């Protein structure tokens, strides 16, 4: 889940608050790894917001027919604790309205969006939501257990037949030597990526949720398909995992279809397409970038946005440094007064300040902490190794790629001059495919450099703000003395009784072309 920063409070609270247009209450987040219950709401634009139970009750009572006092009475009766009209007014003005959950009294309702690194950009709709819903309903029958078992058994048999009767090396050599066949393989691979997204939509529909649009965008510099399965949040953990694995399952079904076409046509180019379909399914299982494996790990832990908890998980894995007790403090450490406010992480945040300094992983169940910590301990070295390999390989890859692209474009120009349009298009497509990895590496380096520069600039500004100031004071004897005056420490505000909620959105599924040579999403 990715945090949304609320916008400024949009004016006054309406006399009779009403939910924003298109808002749907999804109920409790089943299988959550948070240590407190979380209620979900989906805005009309598809953004999913995580709420505390109190905020969810206020939102449910705000139907436009009740005033503030009536909402407070209904929430108090349902929540079992005293809630005043002033409490409700504050929570609506300071929490619900800035998140776009309550319609503004005048003007447009703000709709802040979640921001995450290395996500799809330039999204465009390919199939609208009604079409995807109907298509998912038709294909949902393929997820019945007897059908799944039969098709997977048939896939294993078909793969064995293909490997016995055909040579993968000979097929790949033929494709690489023939530009038109290479173009055909690219087309078949893109079709397989679209089938992959249909698998996510069908699995979502089989579980009882409604999939959104299927579209395409750019992941770094690679074209990619995506499926909006935000509504799968209403499903159980098992239903969400089925949605995660639905695309990989349909990759296998697509390979099975290609095996059938190979048996009929004996076209050796299909052997390469079948192998690429299986490799794409294996690539989707990578848990360290925003592919299906990442969402599988998140749903297993009940914590969708793993990257936001990576640093707290790594800090929590280190042994905590114990500080000596202060005078009058028990030897076991500081004690929280009874009824005192808990840390921010206990409300479901990524972490809170620990004794060793820095944010630590809190607010999760023991099982979720173990899964997230294990994932972070594996992901951090993998991302670091990829970053080192990226930095080392760029000076060698970029010049060689430039020469290869130029060598590929030369015959394309000659073919175009001879009137061989299809051959020229195939050569140009091959040149673009050759250039994409190097372009992606350079773009990843640009993003990392920009992030480092912004971090250093922010650190510099924070250090300058904390720098002690020197002021001139008049001494008793008339001489000037310089006294160091430090900025007074800003008192930490007391935690409010009703804690702010974090807003979340389930990232859409990325399809073909989402591989990144660098440490994506770190």
């Amino acid at each position: 889940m990715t945090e949304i920063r609320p916008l400024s409070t949009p004016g006054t609270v309406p006399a009779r608050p009403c939910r924003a247009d298109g808002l749907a209450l999804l109920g409790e987040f089943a299988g959550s790894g948070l240590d407190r219950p979380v209620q979900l709401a989906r805005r009309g634009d598809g953004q999913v917001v995580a709420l505390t139970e109190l905020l969810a009750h206020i939102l449910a009572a705000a139907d436009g027919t009740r005033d503030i006092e009536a909402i407070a009475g209904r929430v108090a009766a349902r929540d079992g604790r005293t809630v005043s009209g002033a409490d409700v007014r504050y929570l609506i003005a300071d929490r619900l309205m800035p998140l776009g959950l309550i319609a503004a009294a005048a003007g447009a309702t703000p709709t802040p969006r979640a921001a995450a690194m290395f996500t799809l950009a330039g999204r465009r709709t390919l199939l609208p939501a009604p079409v995807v819903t109907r298509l998912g309903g038709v294909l949902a029958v393929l997820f019945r257990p007897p059908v799944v078992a039969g098709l997977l058994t048939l896939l294993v048999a078909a793969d064995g037949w293909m490997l016995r009767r055909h040579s993968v090396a000979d097929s790949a050599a033929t494709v690489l030597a023939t530009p038109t066949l290479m173009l055909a393989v690219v087309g078949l691979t893109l079709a397989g990526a679209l089938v992959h997204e249909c698998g996510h939509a069908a699995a979502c529909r089989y579980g009882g949720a409604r999939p959104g649009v299927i579209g395409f965008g750019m992941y770094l510099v690679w074209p990619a398909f995506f499926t909006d399965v935000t509504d799968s949040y209403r499903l159980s953990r098992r239903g969400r995992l089925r949605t995660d694995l639905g695309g990989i399952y349909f990759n296998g079904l697509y390979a099975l279809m290609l095996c059938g076409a190979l048996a009929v046509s004996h076209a050796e180019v299909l052997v390469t397409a079948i192998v690429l379909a299986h490799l794409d399914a294996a690539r989707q299982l990578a848990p360290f970038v925003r592919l299906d494996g990442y969402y599988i790990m998140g749903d297993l832990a009940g914590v969708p946005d793993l990257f936001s908890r990576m640093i707290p998980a790594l800090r929590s894995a280190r042994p905590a440094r114990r500080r000596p007790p202060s005078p009058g403090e028990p030897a076991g450490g500081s004690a929280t007064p009874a009824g005192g406010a808990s840390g921010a992480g206990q409300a479901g945040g990524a972490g809170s300040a620990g004794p060793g300094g820095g944010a630590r992983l809190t607010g999760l169940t023991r099982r979720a902490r173990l899964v997230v910590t294990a994932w972070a301990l594996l992901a951090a070295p993998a991302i670091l190794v990829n970053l080192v390999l990226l930095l080392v390989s760029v000076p060698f890859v970029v010049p060689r790629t430039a020469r290869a692209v130029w060598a590929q474009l030369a015959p394309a120009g000659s073919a175009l001059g001879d009137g061989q349009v299809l051959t020229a298009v195939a050569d140009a497509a091959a040149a673009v495919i050759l250039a994409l990895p190097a372009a992606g590496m350079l773009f990843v380096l640009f993003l990392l450099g920009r992030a480092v520069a912004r971090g250093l600039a922010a650190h510099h500004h924070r250090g300058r703000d904390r720098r002690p100031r020197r002021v001139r004071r008049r001494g008793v004897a008339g001489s000037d003395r310089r006294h160091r005056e430090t900025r007074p420490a800003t008192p930490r505000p007391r935690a409010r009784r009703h804690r702010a909620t974090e807003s979340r959105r389930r990232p859409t599924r990325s399809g073909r072309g989402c591989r990144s040579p660098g440490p994506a999403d770190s």
Side-chain angles (χ1 to χ4, degrees):
M1 293 182 179
T2 306
E3 182 178 358
I4 298 178
R5 296 182 179 180
L7 302 177
S8 57
T9 303
T12 59
V13 177
R16 297 181 181 274
C18 181
R19 294 186 292 271
D21 293 338
L23 185 72
L25 300 176
L26 304 182
E28 185 174 350
F29 180 33
S32 171
L34 304 179
D35 58 1
R36 295 186 181 184
V38 174
Q39 302 289 323
L40 299 178
R42 187 183 67 244
R43 292 196 319 230
D45 60 351
Q47 186 77 54
V48 172
V49 183
L51 303 168
T52 62
E53 289 184 328
L54 178 60
L55 290 175
H57 292 163
I58 294 176
L59 198 58
D63 56 1
T65 62
R66 301 182 179 91
D67 58 11
I68 298 295
E69 296 298 332
I71 292 176
R74 185 175 180 86
V75 171
R78 186 172 182 179
D79 203 52
R81 54 178 166 176
T82 303
V83 180
S84 66
D87 294 333
V88 172
R89 183 180 299 276
Y90 164 75
L91 291 174
I92 290 177
D94 199 67
R95 299 292 183 265
L96 298 178
M97 290 184 68
L99 292 174
L101 304 179
I102 295 292
T109 302
T111 54
R113 304 289 300 178
M117 293 181 61
F118 300 112
T119 56
L120 285 176
R123 302 186 184 194
R124 295 294 183 269
T125 298
L126 187 62
L127 296 177
V131 175
V132 176
T133 300
R134 288 194 293 269
L135 181 62
V138 173
L139 298 176
V141 67
L142 297 176
F143 285 91
R144 293 180 179 177
V147 177
V148 172
L151 290 177
L152 291 181
T153 302
L154 189 59
L155 174 63
V156 173
D159 284 339
W161 168 82
M162 186 267 294
L163 293 175
R164 288 193 305 268
R165 296 292 185 88
H166 300 272
S167 172
V168 176
D170 292 343
S171 174
T174 304
V175 169
L176 293 176
T178 310
T180 53
L181 292 181
M182 185 180 296
L183 191 61
V185 169
V186 171
L188 290 173
T189 304
L190 291 176
L194 188 58
V195 171
H196 175 95
E197 301 305 326
C198 292
H200 288 307
C204 182
R205 195 73 185 97
Y206 180 81
R210 299 180 67 87
V213 302
I214 290 180
F216 63 93
M218 295 298 294
Y219 187 82
L220 299 180
V221 296
W222 289 276
F225 293 104
F226 70 90
T227 305
D228 187 353
V229 290
T230 305
D231 201 51
S232 64
Y233 265 135
R234 67 167 69 243
L235 304 179
S236 63
R237 188 198 304 268
R238 182 177 180 180
R240 295 196 302 272
L241 288 172
R242 184 192 301 113
T243 304
D244 298 334
L245 293 168
I248 298 175
Y249 171 53
F250 267 49
N251 275 120
L253 298 187
Y254 182 67
L256 181 60
M257 293 170 55
L258 293 179
C259 285
L262 175 63
V264 174
S265 64
H266 303 286
E268 292 297 321
V269 66
L270 295 177
V271 176
T272 301
I274 293 170
V275 173
L276 290 178
H278 285 299
L279 290 178
D280 182 60
R283 178 184 64 90
Q284 289 287 342
L285 291 174
F288 307 134
V289 290
R290 292 186 187 273
L291 298 177
D292 293 345
Y294 174 81
Y295 299 113
I296 291 171
M297 290 296 300
D299 285 327
L300 286 175
V303 183
D305 192 8
L306 295 175
F307 279 120
S308 66
R309 291 175 168 83
M310 175 183 284
I311 300 301
L314 294 176
R315 287 174 175 162
S316 298
R318 297 183 307 176
R321 294 178 298 176
R322 295 186 177 276
R323 59 178 177 83
S326 302
E329 183 181 351
S334 60
T336 302
S342 59
Q346 294 179 356
S352 62
R360 301 179 71 86
L361 192 64
T362 58
L364 304 180
T365 62
R366 183 176 182 274
R367 178 180 178 276
R369 285 198 305 271
L370 291 176
V371 174
V372 174
T373 303
W375 173 85
L377 291 175
L378 293 175
I383 292 173
L384 182 60
V385 168
N386 277 278
L387 178 59
V388 172
L389 292 177
L390 175 66
L391 294 174
V392 171
S393 60
V394 162
F396 301 96
V397 172
V398 172
R400 287 171 172 79
T401 300
R403 290 193 294 268
V405 169
W406 181 256
Q408 192 68 38
L409 289 176
S414 302
L416 187 61
D418 296 337
Q420 301 176 359
V421 179
L422 186 59
T423 302
V425 171
D427 289 335
V432 172
I433 294 173
L434 287 174
L436 283 179
M441 295 168 72
L442 293 176
F443 189 62
V444 169
L445 288 179
F446 166 74
L447 293 178
L448 292 176
R450 186 178 64 178
V452 170
R454 289 178 176 177
L456 292 177
H459 179 74
H460 173 71
H461 288 305
R462 287 195 300 267
R464 187 171 58 181
D465 291 341
R466 291 194 298 263
R467 189 176 303 164
R469 297 179 179 177
R470 301 179 68 89
V471 298
R472 184 182 299 272
R473 290 186 179 180
R474 179 69 60 183
V476 177
S479 61
D480 291 340
R481 293 185 179 180
R482 294 185 181 273
H483 298 271
R484 186 174 299 275
E485 181 184 271
T486 58
R487 292 171 58 89
T490 304
R492 179 175 297 179
R494 295 178 60 86
R496 301 183 186 274
R497 179 181 177 186
H498 307 299
R499 189 173 301 280
T501 180
E502 288 184 351
S503 304
R504 315 291 188 186
R505 185 184 182 191
R506 183 180 183 85
T508 52
R509 308 290 175 178
S510 299
R512 181 67 185 170
C514 291
R515 181 176 55 189
S516 173
D521 308 296
S522 58

